[in-house]
Amino acid sequence: MYTCSVDRMSDKIRTFAQYGDAGHGGITRYSLSEAAIQARDEFVKRMTAIGATIETDDLANMYATIPGSDPAAKRIVMGSHCDSVKNGGNYDGILGVMSAMEVLETVVAEGIPHKHPLTAMIWTNEEGSEFPPCMMCSGIASHDYMPERFRDNFAEEKMMKSVSIVDCKTTFGEKLSTFKYKGEKKNRINPDQYLAMFETHIEQGPILEDAGKDIGVVTCVLGQMIYRVKFSGFAAHAGTFPMKKRHDAFHAAAEALCWLHTEIDKLGYEDLVYTTGEVVIHPCVNTVIPDYFDFSIDVRHEDPEVLNKVREILFKLPERKWQQCDCEVVLGWNRDTVYWNKTLVGYVRDSVNELGYSNMDINSGAGHDAQYVSYMIPTTMIFAPSENGLSHCEPEHTSDELCTKAASVMLNAVLKLDEKGL
């Protein structure tokens, strides 16, 4: 069994944290930004130093490859993304890139024999922080292999028209066209040249830390559905219109949301999570009774039957009036549970046990590039614990030692795949 270098990992963590430093311990590093270029320059510098060949594709996804002993063998790719949310942390996404780099650096430094070419990768625009949606470029690259029912969500032409939320005018395609690392379409990841993909990531939740485990052996990404729940009343003056005559859309939404929590909780699934994170109100004036209000509800669970039970509850909302307002429930987005390749999961599990690291099976409630790639080539993930369960915020932290353990697990799982195949 091989182990990666804590010293090298520590150096990478501190170096990449400089690019997009927000001044409060975290980063703001939007995809295609100057900070993203700095991070990619660092990637190129370090990978070139170990003799890796650098390629970029037309989506600015980056590939650093060291050859294997068999020139006809397919590549084994490892990677994640280097972009962040606004005021994000120093681990989400970039740990997967640093872990992939560390695997290649360890293989070269220790002269570890391997048959397949090994590739470290950076995906473009995973977060979708400036140009939505998230997982954009893995979605585009995997588009032709996705189930037809949601394939159109990542049609390349549509994605290129995504408008910046920063200046509200520049499109993703426009910014990509002049980006330093835009390359050629022929370099895109594909099933003819790539055998499988591994992605290391922080957990983004508290489960591993609460269980006292070093590593999460990830089995799947949970199914998800997002609905908009919309209420329509009428506007009137806040100071003159009697309470009993009001059709207050905000009050209606508040009442309905409390009812939803009660009814969904009655289902009794402790591993079911649901969130209202976005609202729209009109006219949003303190002296006017709202005539319109809608909120999002994001529901996640592995079992589609559980999601269907929640859906049945949601569809009961329009059957009644809420504070004399009409209600409409509209689907915004859904995805199936994505299960990782069982052989790759087995290699991860065997590797972590042979290394002697404490571990547990775990699913991912968050989405990742790997979930779309899994429709194209066999894929799996490895989790490192998140301190206090925090992610997508500046206090996000995972110790250097745990980051290195996650990279070591990936290294050995990759070597098992290299030797034994799928």
Side-chain angles (χ1 to χ4, degrees):
M1 300 300 289
Y2 297 94
T3 56
C4 294
S5 165
V6 175
D7 290 340
R8 277 198 307 261
M9 182 64 80
S10 298
D11 180 63
K12 283 191 284 288
I13 291 170
R14 277 140 195 80
T15 300
F16 279 97
Q18 300 173 52
Y19 308 130
D21 181 3
H24 313 96
I27 56 169
T28 297
R29 191 163 62 217
Y30 291 162
S31 197
L32 307 186
S33 67
E34 184 59 36
I37 290 175
Q38 292 172 339
R40 288 163 177 259
D41 287 347
E42 186 70 29
F43 175 81
V44 171
K45 182 180 77 173
R46 290 176 182 249
M47 293 293 91
T48 301
I50 63 168
T53 299
I54 309 297
E55 297 169 299
T56 61
D57 66 25
D58 58 321
L59 303 171
N61 298 318
M62 300 186 70
Y63 312 82
T65 304
I66 57 174
S69 60
D70 181 357
K74 291 184 178 182
R75 299 180 184 185
I76 299 172
V77 63
M78 301 151 276
S80 192
H81 60 98
C82 70
D83 58 316
S84 80
V85 296
K86 183 177 181 179
N87 297 116
N90 295 314
Y91 300 86
D92 182 353
I94 193 64
L95 175 60
V97 176
M98 295 186 296
S99 297
M101 296 168 67
E102 180 58 33
V103 167
L104 266 60
E105 288 166 342
T106 303
V107 168
V108 171
E110 299 191 22
I112 301 173
H114 58 99
K115 179 174 66 176
H116 294 79
L118 304 180
T119 300
M121 182 177 179
I122 295 177
W123 286 102
T124 301
N125 201 30
E126 195 271 357
E127 294 291 359
S129 298
E130 180 178 359
F131 298 99
C134 55
M135 288 96 76
M136 178 191 282
C137 290
S138 58
I140 295 172
S142 307
H143 172 271
D144 293 350
Y145 306 91
M146 289 179 175
E148 190 171 350
R149 64 185 177 278
F150 61 82
R151 184 183 299 169
D152 186 57
N153 292 329
F154 290 95
E156 184 171 348
E157 182 178 339
K158 181 185 295 185
M159 295 297 95
M160 292 300 144
K161 294 177 181 177
S162 176
V163 177
S164 167
I165 65 169
V166 175
D167 67 14
C168 299
K169 61 180 182 180
T170 305
T171 67
F172 180 78
E174 289 169 343
K175 195 158 187 178
L176 178 64
S177 68
T178 60
F179 189 60
K180 178 179 180 179
Y181 286 108
K182 184 179 188 297
E184 299 182 77
K185 187 173 182 177
K186 68 178 183 179
N187 293 331
R188 283 190 194 181
I189 185 173
N190 62 77
D192 293 330
Q193 293 178 287
Y194 288 81
L195 178 65
M197 177 184 168
F198 292 78
E199 180 172 356
T200 296
H201 208 280
I202 57 170
E203 178 200 344
Q204 301 178 270
I207 295 172
L208 291 175
E209 185 179 67
D210 287 352
K213 305 298 184 183
D214 294 335
I215 297 293
V217 179
V218 190
T219 57
C220 68
V221 172
L222 297 183
Q224 175 190 20
M225 62 185 189
I226 300 176
Y227 281 87
R228 303 296 306 197
V229 184
K230 305 181 179 186
F231 299 86
S232 300
F234 64 80
H237 195 289
T240 61
F241 207 81
M243 297 297 292
K244 290 183 179 180
K245 293 178 69 67
R246 296 184 179 197
H247 294 202
D248 184 335
F250 197 163
H251 190 182
E255 183 179 63
L257 182 58
C258 290
W259 180 85
L260 277 176
H261 273 255
T262 298
E263 294 303 307
I264 294 173
D265 288 350
K266 284 180 184 177
L267 295 174
Y269 297 102
E270 292 187 4
D271 53 350
L272 170 66
V273 293
Y274 59 97
T275 305
T276 293
E278 184 181 21
V279 302
V280 176
I281 183 172
H282 182 272
C284 200
V285 176
N286 70 295
T287 57
V288 181
I289 300 163
D291 63 359
Y292 178 83
F293 194 101
D294 85 58
F295 61 77
S296 65
I297 182 162
D298 176 324
V299 189
R300 308 190 191 204
H301 196 272
E302 180 176 353
D303 187 345
E305 287 306 310
V306 173
L307 294 177
N308 283 335
K309 290 179 181 180
V310 177
R311 189 179 285 111
E312 290 173 2
I313 293 171
L314 283 168
F315 287 167
K316 290 179 181 178
L317 288 170
E319 295 176 0
R320 56 173 278 192
K321 296 279 189 178
W322 299 90
Q323 293 300 316
Q324 305 184 78
C325 293
D326 293 326
C327 176
E328 181 184 15
V329 177
V330 179
L331 177 65
W333 167 262
N334 70 335
R335 72 173 184 227
D336 299 332
T337 295
V338 175
Y339 292 95
W340 302 134
N341 179 272
K342 290 183 178 180
T343 299
L344 299 183
V345 173
Y347 289 154
V348 171
R349 188 179 290 116
D350 290 346
S351 296
V352 70
N353 286 330
E354 290 168 17
L355 285 163
Y357 303 154
S358 61
N359 66 92
M360 62 183 286
D361 284 7
I362 191 170
N363 56 46
S364 175
H368 301 279
D369 288 316
Q371 77 191 57
Y372 293 136
V373 179
S374 69
Y375 293 114
M376 179 169 52
I377 59 175
T379 307
T380 196
M381 292 189 72
I382 299 156
F383 276 174
S386 296
E387 190 173 294
N388 298 318
L390 297 178
S391 175
H392 279 203
C393 59
E394 294 186 331
E396 173 185 284
H397 184 259
T398 299
S399 73
D400 297 359
E401 290 75 18
L402 287 172
C403 289
T404 308
K405 285 184 175 182
S408 297
V409 172
M410 186 163 68
L411 166 62
N412 287 279
V414 164
L415 292 174
K416 289 180 184 295
L417 172 61
D418 179 71
E419 178 186 356
K420 300 177 181 180
L422 289 167

